[in-house]
Amino acid sequence: MTASLFDEPPQPLRTPLLLEPGAMVLPGFAQDRAPALLQAVAGIAARAPFRHLVTPGGLRMSVAMTHCGTLGWVSDRSGYRYSPVDPHTGQPWPAMPGCFAELAHQAAAAAGYAAFAPDACLINRYAPGARMSLHQDRDEHDMAHPIVSVSLGLPASFLWGGAARADKARRIPLLHGDVVVWGGPVRLHFHGVQPLAEGTHPLAGACRINLTFRRAG
Ligand code: MD3
Ligand code: FE
C-alpha cells in the first residue's frame, strides 16, 4: 500500500487567522527573531528587574512583570497607571530595543494597522502555575491604537472573552513565536491566561514570556 496525504496526522492550523473582526493571530510571526527578543528581555531585566505587582486590592500577582519604552504600567494602593519612571529603581524604564519596535510595527501592518508606533512594552513572565484572571486593558490613553502581543517560551492557553465579563470565553492556544494583534471592535474585550502548565522550553527554560506592545500615552 502506498502512503497518501490521508496518512498524515492532522496538523494544527498555522496560517494567519481572524479570531473575530479586530483580533488577528499571526502564528509563528516572531519565531525566527525569538532568540534576539529573549536576549533583549534579559538585558532589560538586568536594569529593570521582574517584579510581582500588588493590585490596589492588596493581592500579589502571580505573573512577574517589567517594562521598556517611555512608559511602564505600575500599580499601588491608589490604582493602576502608566509612569515614565520605574518605582523599583527610581530610573526611567529601559529604552525599547529596535528589534521590539520593528516587530510590533510589522505585525500591526500585517494585521491592517499602518504606522503603529508603540511607546510601551509590558513584559510578562509566567512560571508554571502563574495565571492572569479575566480583565480589560483600559489604562491606555487612546483606544484607537491596537495592542500587539508576542508569546515566547512555554505554551499557554489564552482565554478570549467578549465585551462583558460574563460572556463565554474561548480557549486559544498561544505557542512560542505566535503574535496576535488586537484592536478596533475587540480592543476592550475581556481576556486572561489559564495557569501555565509545567514544562521546559529549549530557549526560554521553565517559563513563558509575553510581550505586549502598546501606545499608552
Ligand atoms: C485582547 N497579557 O498584559 S496577551 C496583559 O499573555 C495581558 O500575558 C496576556 O493580557 C499575556 O494585559 C495576554 C494578549 C492580549 C493582550 C492585550 C489585549 C490580548 C488582548 C487587549 C485587548 C484585547
Ligand atoms: Fe490584558
Side-chain angles (χ1 to χ4, degrees):
M1 204 180 100
T2 54
S4 86
L5 179 64
F6 305 104
D7 296 330
E8 297 292 327
Q11 296 293 314
L13 188 60
R14 299 270 79 198
T15 52
L17 168 71
L18 191 66
L19 273 182
E20 63 179 86
M24 174 77 91
V25 188
L26 305 171
F29 192 89
Q31 193 146 14
D32 296 350
R33 319 177 207 196
L37 297 171
L38 287 167
Q39 204 166 6
V41 168
I44 292 161
R47 293 208 287 128
F50 281 104
R51 78 288 309 261
H52 294 267
L53 295 190
V54 176
T55 68
L59 297 173
R60 176 187 186 267
M61 294 181 71
S62 59
V63 176
M65 295 180 178
T66 188
H67 297 84
C68 65
T70 57
L71 290 169
W73 192 69
V74 300
S75 170
D76 57 27
R77 286 282 170 178
S78 70
Y80 300 107
R81 67 204 145 78
Y82 280 95
S83 165
V85 168
D86 177 357
H88 194 87
T89 63
Q91 296 297 308
W93 299 102
M96 193 178 303
C99 64
F100 276 30
E102 187 183 18
L103 169 61
H105 183 272
Q106 290 173 355
Y113 293 94
F116 178 54
D119 56 8
C121 176
L122 166 56
I123 306 171
N124 291 324
R125 187 184 68 193
Y126 295 74
R131 59 191 288 270
M132 197 175 279
S133 54
L134 274 186
H135 67 278
Q136 295 169 293
D137 289 24
R138 53 186 316 153
D139 296 315
E140 296 76 27
H141 177 71
D142 180 356
M143 297 298 163
H145 298 289
I147 289 183
V148 173
S149 87
V150 180
S151 292
L152 299 168
L154 290 177
S157 179
F158 178 69
L159 287 170
W160 180 230
R165 184 179 289 278
D167 290 347
K168 192 168 166 52
R170 295 162 67 183
R171 289 177 176 78
I172 313 284
L174 289 180
L175 310 182
H176 177 72
D178 287 354
V179 175
V180 192
V181 181
W182 321 82
V186 306
R187 178 64 182 75
L188 286 170
H189 273 27
F190 282 87
H191 57 277
V193 179
Q194 293 200 291
L196 199 77
E198 297 283 346
T200 307
H201 186 273
L203 285 183
C207 74
R208 168 178 188 255
I209 300 283
N210 182 265
L211 313 176
T212 57
F213 294 96
R214 299 142 191 272
R215 183 70 178 228

